[in-house]
Amino acid sequence: MGLTQKILLFASALVVALVVTSLAFTTFQANELAHFTIDQGLKETREVWDTFQADRYKQLRLGIRVLGNDPAFKAAVANREDPAVRQATVLDMLKERGQDLKADFFIATDADGVVIARSDRPGGAGEDLSQQEIVRKPLEGEESSTIWRQGDRLANAVAVPMQTGPSLVGVLVAGYGIDEALAGQIHKLTHSQIAYLVQDAGKPPRLSVSSLGPKEPALTAALARPDFPAGKGEMESFDLDLAGERYVGVTIPLRTAGGEAVGSALALRSFSEETASFRKFRDSLILVSLIVMAGGLVVAYLAARRITGPVRTLVDLVERARDGSFTGAVTVNTGDEIGVLARTFNNLMTDLRQKEQMIDFLREGMTILKKGAGSAATVSGSEVTLSATAALPAVTGGGTRKLEPGQLFATRYEILDEVGKGGMGVVYRARDRQLDEVVALKVLRGEALRDDPSLLDRFKQEIKLARKITHKNVLRTHDFGESDGVSYISMEYLEGVTLKDLIKNRGALPLGVGLSIAKQMCKGLDAAHLTGVVHRDIKPQNMLILMESGDLKIMDFGIARVSQVKGGEVSGLTSAGTVMGTPDYMPPEQAQGHPADFRSDIYSLGVVLFEAFTGTLPFTGDTLMAIIMGHLQKPPPKPRSVNPRLPIDLEAVILRCLEKDPARRFAQVEDLQEALTEVSSTVEAA
């Protein structure tokens, strides 16, 4: 699976996870809200039912008391002469007065509780109601208000005694039926479905009336099931399935005034109706999510293609680089990680191309060299010479015991041959028997140590610092010791050409070659500065370039920088008197005897860059003093005045290194390296 597909898959999984999480969270919240709303609605239904009952009883009492106290009505009830006439008269009066009170039924009984007439059932005369609670209390002289069950019908009823003086004439009963109209009114006010149930002992509850309409058969069937929650406590909620629709219900007990249970009111709330709005929102959310997901996947795919495009190019270029081709670049102009990666890789490819150009340049010089005789060949009127590692300036010295090939020195170094002589001693190629490798062995002159007794201590201190530097662009220092009174230093041994010899024999370096060398010098010097070492003798003679790899090594930390010569008028000598450093590359502050810091090395490096890209030194003279005064007083010439082919950005970099005031130079070598990298990128782009 490719990176684009992985990003697309991740984006898809992320979007799906977000949508599913959102749906799960909103569903949970909606269910919680629905349950809360249902609970509040059911409580409200109970309150509305109680209010309805109280209002019904109040209206019934007001109307029935008026009729019960009507002398004409009481006289008709008390007339016992003709039962048929009495029944007809009482029934007519009940019907007439019932229209005013709008009660669903009236019942008039005699003093014994036997029905004289009733408006709801004209043929009900003669029925004995004396044992019914609704009539029993009025027979005892008290009013009665209660729920009255007659068969499967329920009613809110009020009964009052009718008296003439102290004598009881009869009982008048009026009531409002608990019917579909009442259930409908409560449903309209509360949005709860209401069902009134009756139940006999040992039998399942039966439906009396409800507001369920078409769902009544489903409730009737549910009431007959054994799992119907008939035994739930008052206002304890339960779930009920009616024709596939989920309801949440509570039971409201219906009792007579004496506390006898005659049935119950079942208040129901549809869970589907409560969550209908949420379901619409959820469906809209799913639709929008699908649209957003589709759009997001398209955007993710395009973004993934944009992100992985440079990566694919990078992979292709890496494969080509493995095959030795360093052409091409990754074009990304962003500040994100991909942009940084692209720029870093482009800089790497630029370094490799410049390194390849330098190797070709060096091989060309070697080819010309091999056509000549001996160790040198004439090229354009100059010589190309091979130098050994850590070759010191060609100032002959004396007084040091000469070591012969095959001789064992310091019990561990087998002398192979003499490489060269320097101002401070002789350099040998030797085999370190303990390390089993070839090293450069520098044997210090005894005369130099006698002339400056503190020199040895300074060398030891500098060697301690130099040994801390571990970088591929710095020549490694192995050891410092003494043998039979002779001080020596063992170092990494490599063969190559010094930058000084390269410039002297080839002139100004090609731009790519020079930039490769410059950046390698910066890397090695930066490693030294990070350990706190100031070289103080940066010059092309101390830059060794390996012919086969093009790698550069900075050498002579703390050794070549302190040399003594006798006067002289030759440019390129190390010093005059006790001046530290090489006048051709000496920063102004060092020439004035001020302490040198990292910016001093940057100035010397600027002189080396000037020489490398122009083939000449910025300051020349017939005497050492003339050269030093140039560094102190004269502005450096512009490199493009000597080599017009140089980029203007490179000229600015070199001139900044050559500022007289250290504060105006690059603060650290890393900054100089970044500036050179920018120049390389600009050159490559051009």
Side-chain angles (χ1 to χ4, degrees), residues 609-626:
L609 295 179
F610 188 102
E611 185 178 5
F613 288 108
T614 65
T616 63
L617 289 163
F619 303 109
T620 58
D622 296 332
T623 64
L624 296 178
M625 186 54 67

Side-chain angles (χ1 to χ4, degrees), residues 79 84 120 123 172 206 231 300-301 308 429 443 544 649 656 673:
N79 182 13
D120 61 331
L172 180 60
R206 299 189 304 278
Y301 176 77
T308 59
R429 186 170 65 93
V443 179
L544 183 69
D649 292 342
R656 183 176 177 185
Q673 181 182 339

Side-chain angles (χ1 to χ4, degrees), residues 665-686:
R665 301 171 198 158
F666 290 100
Q668 52 190 7
V669 181
E670 183 181 5
D671 298 335
L672 172 57
Q673 181 182 339
E674 290 180 1
L676 291 170
T677 300
E678 288 295 326
V679 172
S680 295
S681 301
T682 303
V683 170
E684 288 286 325

Side-chain angles (χ1 to χ4, degrees), residues 30 46-47 69 93 205 249 267 295 330 351 403 414 421 430 451 463 493 499 515 524 526 591 616 618 631 647 649 686:
R46 170 64 183 268
E47 294 171 357
N69 290 322
M93 296 181 71
V330 183
D351 291 344
L403 301 179
E414 179 185 352
K421 294 180 180 180
D451 293 343
I463 291 303
Y493 178 85
L499 178 58
L515 287 171
D526 184 53
T616 63
H631 286 290
D649 292 342

Side-chain angles (χ1 to χ4, degrees), residues 59 153 156 176 190 216 255 310 318 346-347 351 398 459 475 513 556 585 589 618:
Q59 292 178 22
R153 309 298 293 180
N156 294 114
Y176 291 128
T190 64
E216 276 194 0
R255 295 185 175 90
V318 170
N346 289 338
N347 291 336
D351 291 344
F459 274 147
L475 194 73
V513 174
D556 278 354
Y585 308 94
E589 65 273 13

Side-chain angles (χ1 to χ4, degrees), residues 370-436:
K370 290 178 180 179
K371 291 180 180 178
S375 62
T378 301
V379 180
S380 301
S382 61
E383 289 185 337
V384 177
T385 61
L386 291 180
S387 301
T389 298
L392 294 173
V395 180
T396 59
T400 299
R401 175 167 57 91
K402 183 177 179 59
L403 301 179
E404 301 295 335
Q407 182 179 347
L408 186 63
F409 178 71
T411 69
R412 64 182 286 187
Y413 300 104
E414 179 185 352
I415 304 301
L416 299 178
D417 52 44
E418 181 180 313
V419 176
K421 294 180 180 180
M424 302 308 300
V426 183
V427 182
Y428 295 95
R429 186 170 65 93
R431 177 175 298 280
D432 187 340
R433 290 187 173 182
Q434 290 186 10
L435 300 178
D436 192 25

Side-chain angles (χ1 to χ4, degrees), residues 468-489:
K468 295 179 181 179
I469 306 172
T470 55
H471 193 272
K472 69 174 185 176
N473 294 119
V474 175
L475 194 73
R476 293 199 313 273
T477 300
H478 294 316
D479 197 10
F480 176 87
E482 293 184 5
S483 177
D484 298 330
V486 178
S487 299
Y488 67 90
I489 302 168

